[in-house]
Amino acid sequence: MYENTGEKIRELRKQTGMSQAFLANKVCSQSEISRIERGLNEPSYQMLWAISKKFDVDINYFLDEHSKEREDYFQEVKELLEEARRDRDYSLIEEIVDQESKNPLLQKGHRHKYLKWHKAMTVYHLHKDAAGAVSLFMDCLSNGDLDLLITELDMNVLNSIGIIKRNEGELKEAVYYLEKALRILKRMASLKKERIVRKVYYNLSKVHSDLGEYKLSAGYCEKGLALCLSEEDMFLFAEFHYQLGRNLLLLGNEEEGLRYWEKTRTIIELQQKKNLLKFIESEIENYRATGIIK
């Protein structure tokens, strides 16, 4: 019986004649593989998924029954938190995090950091403590050197910091963290199809629009729309249309800008997002009446 997941990875790697460097390629650093194999670090679920693909085995090969149960439970917690994030229900997020922070199954590794990421959101959105939230976000990162970050959670954390910096009017710092995330994502093949890429594009588009860099902002919107279409996924599809239309209006292209806003309205109607529908209808009505963008 293997003592940990790292030992299973090491033994399978030796059996297949695979080097650490080969296994690490497009997954993480070779030193990270070494630490995992020695039981010093616990691989994230996504990293383990990528490793399982390298070996062409089912991910459950690396999980004993207890580990699988623990991961299944964690996936349920993630789903609850993801739904609360979509609804921007930060009170519910705080309730879930406070409850699960006492759970010994979620006290270490990426699970603990995932909970802390959400805790930081509540510190900002509920308790209005930007500095405290950013400090907690930084604690969630897998490495103090931002150029060595490798996980999807790392990219989500950088995106979250970028959002706070933009909200606080620290636009250049927002660009710094979001572009850092984007550069890392571009070299991480395993993350290129994840929604986090679109999140970063969207937030960069908003920051550059705030900076008056409308063409640059529009470019990020177009990249985001291209990803939505190529992945056949509507996530942020309406939002990219809205932001692109806004940029076009600010650039003086009224006809094209309103066309994108009308598309936004149609998409939101199909998605049945009533609050967003009221917002975009109000924006269109206000612009047609005054020619002013809020």
Side-chain angles (χ1 to χ4, degrees), residues 153-183:
L153 178 57
D154 288 331
M155 302 305 103
N156 275 300
V157 170
L158 291 178
N159 183 62
S160 294
I161 295 173
I163 291 172
I164 288 182
K165 294 296 184 182
R166 175 184 178 254
N167 290 347
E168 295 300 307
E170 300 170 19
L171 301 182
K172 293 297 184 181
E173 286 195 49
V175 170
Y176 170 79
Y177 285 104
L178 292 168
E179 287 188 344
K180 181 70 70 174
L182 191 58
R183 282 196 294 272

Side-chain angles (χ1 to χ4, degrees), residues 10-262:
R10 182 179 65 247
E11 291 302 317
L12 186 57
R13 183 175 60 76
K14 288 182 176 179
Q15 289 173 20
T16 58
M18 191 181 297
S19 68
Q20 284 187 346
F22 186 90
L23 179 59
N25 185 39
K26 295 184 179 180
V27 175
C28 59
S29 65
Q30 183 176 342
S31 61
E32 180 71 4
I33 292 292
S34 176
R35 288 193 293 270
I36 290 170
E37 289 189 351
R38 287 180 288 152
L40 300 177
N41 282 10
E42 183 181 20
S44 67
Y45 187 79
Q46 203 229 327
M47 190 183 298
L48 202 56
W49 179 85
I51 289 172
S52 71
K53 294 297 182 184
K54 284 287 188 80
F55 287 120
D56 196 26
V57 298
D58 189 284
I59 190 172
N60 290 317
Y61 173 86
F62 298 110
L63 302 171
D64 57 30
E65 285 188 7
H66 177 65
S67 295
K68 187 175 187 300
E69 289 170 3
R70 184 174 61 210
E71 194 60 50
D72 287 346
Y73 179 84
F74 177 58
Q75 291 304 311
E76 291 179 13
V77 173
K78 283 182 69 174
E79 288 172 8
L80 288 172
L81 288 170
E82 286 169 4
E83 183 175 353
R85 283 205 319 272
R86 285 195 298 271
D87 295 337
R88 299 183 181 180
D89 190 343
Y90 297 106
S91 294
L92 177 58
I93 289 174
E94 186 170 55
E95 181 182 339
I96 295 170
V97 170
D98 287 347
Q99 176 180 317
E100 295 303 331
S101 63
K102 303 168 188 174
N103 187 336
L105 296 179
L106 307 178
Q107 287 299 303
K108 62 179 183 178
H110 74 283
R111 300 179 187 91
H112 179 64
K113 290 183 176 182
Y114 186 84
L115 287 181
K116 186 179 285 190
W117 173 41
H118 287 80
K119 178 67 176 178
M121 294 178 201
T122 67
V123 167
Y124 181 68
H125 291 285
L126 294 181
H127 306 293
K128 312 305 179 186
D129 182 359
V134 170
S135 179
L136 276 176
F137 281 137
M138 296 299 288
D139 288 343
C140 298
L141 297 173
S142 64
N143 199 300
D145 185 340
L146 301 189
D147 290 320
L148 298 179
L149 298 178
I150 55 173
T151 71
E152 184 177 357
L153 178 57
D154 288 331
M155 302 305 103
N156 275 300
V157 170
L158 291 178
N159 183 62
S160 294
I161 295 173
I163 291 172
I164 288 182
K165 294 296 184 182
R166 175 184 178 254
N167 290 347
E168 295 300 307
E170 300 170 19
L171 301 182
K172 293 297 184 181
E173 286 195 49
V175 170
Y176 170 79
Y177 285 104
L178 292 168
E179 287 188 344
K180 181 70 70 174
L182 191 58
R183 282 196 294 272
I184 298 169
L185 282 165
K186 284 181 177 178
R187 73 167 187 258
M188 295 292 292
S190 61
L191 295 179
K192 285 183 178 178
K193 293 186 177 181
E194 299 297 330
R195 287 180 168 184
I196 179 58
V197 181
R198 273 175 275 170
K199 291 179 187 178
V200 174
Y201 279 153
Y202 181 58
N203 286 309
L204 274 169
S205 74
K206 292 199 290 185
V207 176
H208 284 297
S209 187
D210 291 345
L211 288 166
E213 299 166 345
Y214 306 127
K215 289 185 179 180
L216 186 55
S217 175
Y220 281 117
C221 293
E222 289 167 352
K223 289 179 180 179
L225 286 172
L227 282 178
C228 291
L229 294 171
S230 65
E231 298 299 322
E232 298 181 347
D233 183 358
M234 296 283 281
F235 178 69
L236 293 181
F237 194 56
E239 288 83 349
F240 280 123
H241 273 84
Y242 169 78
Q243 187 66 17
L244 181 53
R246 188 173 187 275
N247 283 308
L248 289 167
L249 290 171
L250 288 165
L251 286 166
N253 191 340
E254 183 175 282
E255 182 179 350
E256 192 73 357
L258 284 173
R259 188 171 69 84
Y260 270 96
W261 273 11
E262 290 292 349

